[in-house]
Amino acid sequence: MSAFTDHIAELRRRWSGALASAGLDVAVVAAGTSRPYFLDDQSPPYRPNPHFAQWLAGAECPNSLLLVRRNGPVTLYFHQVEDYWHLPPATPDLDDAVAVETFDSIDAMTTAVAREVERFNRTAFVGEVETPGSNLPFGEVNPPLLLNALHYGRARKTPFEIACMRRATEIAVAGHVAAVAAFRAGASEFEIHQAYLSASQQTESSLPYSSIVALNEHAGVLHYQHYDRNSPAVRKSFLIDAGGRYRGYAADVTRTYAAQSDAFAALIDALDAEQLAIIDTIRAGMSYVDLHDAMHRSIAGILSNLGLVTCSAEAAYQQRITDAFFPHGIGHLIGLQTHDVGGHLASPEGGTRAPPERYPALRLTRAIETGQVFTVEPGIYFIPMLLRQLRPSAAGNDVAWSEVDALMGHGGIRIEDNVLITEDGVENLTREAFAGASSAT
Ligand code: GLY
Ligand code: MN
Ligand code: MN
């Protein structure tokens, strides 16, 4: 059997269990469609419903419907209309693991689905309402019991998904290698962005998320969203958070570089070492919240060792000085979505495991388990808004402000890898891809 056939077999097991626990016999999963902007005939790029995409291995089938029976085969009702304005979608190659019925009109497709759904008592629709199929008489629409079970399970990747994520990472890394070369050659943010797209063979709309390409103080804006056409006169730093996508699966990668060998470069090296050290500690069974907390202690150590605070690492941690320098979570689940769902779920049945009061931005609060893929992305930033609040506080007395002020124009550092949890530790998909890229040159 191919990895894809195994993947479909695993999805069938998961959906059978999830449908049973939600008291359902069948679900219709809508691919979705791209709606035009308000009062416009232009639409944003199409993004499939991830519940649909997981069965389709990246094949784009807007408007199509997937019928998942609790005890029985899975059928794709494939919408393929003849068109000369757009290229119609190709018939997906699903290794015969999913039956495909093709329709050239939405009406004919929904009529066929309705006829099949009528045979079952307990039915649900999974998808955006007001897309083809959502008007059929389903018992439930997006039932939380079904979605929670699926979202919880999605954290554990199948071997097919892991292979896709490995490839997505290689795509991203090809872009990163070109981007840093462009930075070293003096390129603007805009030019670096173009170099990234070109080397990774991606278009803006095929990226898993909008690339963050930040020179100097822009690196301190966590989700900086512009591409400055001008190259700054003085180049201090470069942060790039840019991903790759392969068959629907995302890679989410950040690197930071210093323009010269200075205090900022030393800070990057220190954070890089601590990021690798914390990844080394990861084992199935650990709490991701504890991992995040341990990273705050590591960052407190860096601030103390490099003289950015005048107090001990312990005091910097206890006084929450690190919160101003590292204001986001250490990472998140990743897969079909860059920020994959289910990070706060308490169990497959539902319930929320909220982040602790100190770390409200933490997107993942679950125990670490084999088969999960998540990011590990610590940062140290010089964010004027947060440092303005810290400066007059009691803890502010323990900050070495002249050293911190000297780094303000560098913006900040983030180093982001995607790791797979294995039986005996961690596989760092990102570092492997960078090693592969450098051995190939
Ligand atoms: N690229 C967004 C993030 O790192 O979460
Ligand atoms: Mn991330
Ligand atoms: Mn990122």
Side-chain angles (χ1 to χ4, degrees):
M1 286 221 292
S2 74
F4 179 69
T5 315
D6 286 344
H7 168 74
I8 294 294
E10 171 63 16
L11 290 189
R12 287 186 63 179
R13 273 191 293 278
R14 288 186 193 179
W15 275 75
S16 262
L19 288 166
S21 62
L24 293 162
D25 303 317
V26 72
V28 170
V29 188
T33 192
S34 184
R35 257 191 276 271
Y37 298 111
F38 183 54
L39 298 182
D40 205 332
D41 66 354
Q42 301 296 311
S43 310
Y46 164 70
R47 279 275 171 117
N49 170 359
H51 288 290
F52 181 91
Q54 198 174 17
W55 293 90
L56 269 286
E60 295 222 335
C61 318
N63 301 320
S64 294
L65 298 169
L66 192 75
L67 196 131
V68 185
R69 301 165 181 87
R70 173 149 64 96
N71 300 309
V74 177
T75 309
L76 173 67
Y77 292 77
F78 178 49
H79 181 240
Q80 189 185 45
V81 65
E82 244 195 323
D83 188 8
Y84 53 84
W85 292 98
H86 306 101
L87 191 67
T91 305
D93 177 8
L94 301 175
D95 267 6
D96 294 329
V98 172
V100 181
E101 293 185 24
T102 303
F103 297 84
D104 62 6
S105 87
I106 287 181
D107 276 355
M109 179 183 75
T110 50
T111 303
V113 171
R115 227 185 352 258
E116 181 62 15
V117 167
E118 267 170 26
R119 300 177 51 241
F120 298 91
N121 289 327
R122 299 170 304 171
T123 65
F125 176 80
V126 175
E128 262 194 297
V129 290
E130 290 174 36
T131 51
S134 65
N135 55 339
L136 298 177
F138 293 102
E140 296 185 72
V141 173
N142 296 321
L145 272 180
L146 176 64
L147 294 193
N148 287 339
L150 294 170
H151 289 172
Y152 195 87
R154 209 157 94 196
R156 187 163 46 82
K157 271 45 189 184
T158 65
F160 172 77
E161 291 178 308
I162 292 164
C164 290
M165 295 181 78
R166 235 186 262 289
R167 183 72 198 115
T169 311
E170 288 165 2
I171 289 167
V173 164
H176 276 262
V177 169
V180 65
F183 165 66
R184 299 277 183 225
S188 66
E189 291 170 354
F190 179 77
E191 290 163 337
I192 297 171
H193 174 53
Q194 302 300 327
Y196 183 90
L197 290 174
S198 178
S200 65
Q201 297 270 291
Q202 298 184 97
T203 62
E204 298 219 31
S205 63
S206 69
L207 292 168
Y209 57 92
S210 297
S211 299
I212 298 164
V213 180
L215 294 176
N216 297 350
E217 66 274 13
H218 293 159
V221 181
L222 299 183
H223 285 172
Y224 173 65
Q225 71 275 39
H226 300 294
Y227 304 106
D228 200 333
R229 271 60 169 174
N230 301 310
S231 194
V234 180
R235 301 167 77 79
K236 299 177 176 175
S237 59
F238 169 45
L239 182 152
I240 175 162
D241 183 346
R245 209 139 67 99
Y246 183 69
R247 302 189 78 169
Y249 289 87
D252 180 6
V253 177
T254 310
R255 288 293 181 268
T256 310
Y257 305 92
Q260 49 262 317
S261 166
D262 55 9
F264 188 73
L267 203 55
I268 294 175
D269 289 346
L271 187 63
D272 191 58
E274 290 298 329
Q275 190 251 21
L276 285 173
I278 205 140
I279 289 174
D280 260 351
T281 69
I282 297 174
R283 296 286 177 277
M286 276 173 65
S287 142
Y288 195 78
V289 177
D290 291 347
L291 194 74
H292 176 79
D293 192 56
M295 196 68 231
H296 269 266
R297 288 183 177 279
S298 304
I299 287 174
I302 294 173
L303 297 179
S304 177
N305 289 340
L306 296 191
L308 297 179
V309 294
T310 51
C311 59
S312 66
E314 178 63 21
Y317 166 81
Q318 292 298 346
Q319 295 185 90
R320 299 188 173 198
I321 291 175
T322 53
D323 301 24
F325 289 94
F326 176 35
H328 60 73
I330 192 172
H332 50 85
L333 294 168
I334 180 166
L336 287 161
Q337 291 163 273
T338 303
H339 297 154
D340 220 358
V341 287
H344 288 164
L345 276 174
S347 76
E349 289 74 42
T352 301
R353 196 187 294 246
E357 179 273 327
R358 179 169 173 177
Y359 306 125
L362 191 56
R363 289 192 165 96
L364 178 53
T365 51
R366 286 165 58 171
I368 294 170
E369 288 169 30
T370 306
Q372 290 177 345
V373 180
F374 53 70
T375 70
V376 180
E377 50 178 305
I380 297 178
Y381 307 90
F382 302 94
I383 301 174
M385 177 185 143
L386 299 182
L387 296 177
R388 255 198 313 275
Q389 292 161 10
L390 178 63
R391 205 181 281 256
S393 70
N397 291 328
D398 286 341
V399 175
W401 287 107
S402 57
E403 277 71 12
V404 168
D405 287 341
L407 291 166
M408 290 301 291
H410 292 72
I413 304 167
R414 179 163 65 256
I415 298 167
E416 177 173 29
D417 291 345
N418 304 169
V419 301
L420 163 68
I421 311 310
T422 60
E423 295 292 340
D424 46 9
V426 173
E427 192 182 329
N428 189 326
L429 303 179
T430 312
R431 300 274 173 167
E432 275 174 15
F434 272 106
S438 67
S439 68
T441 55

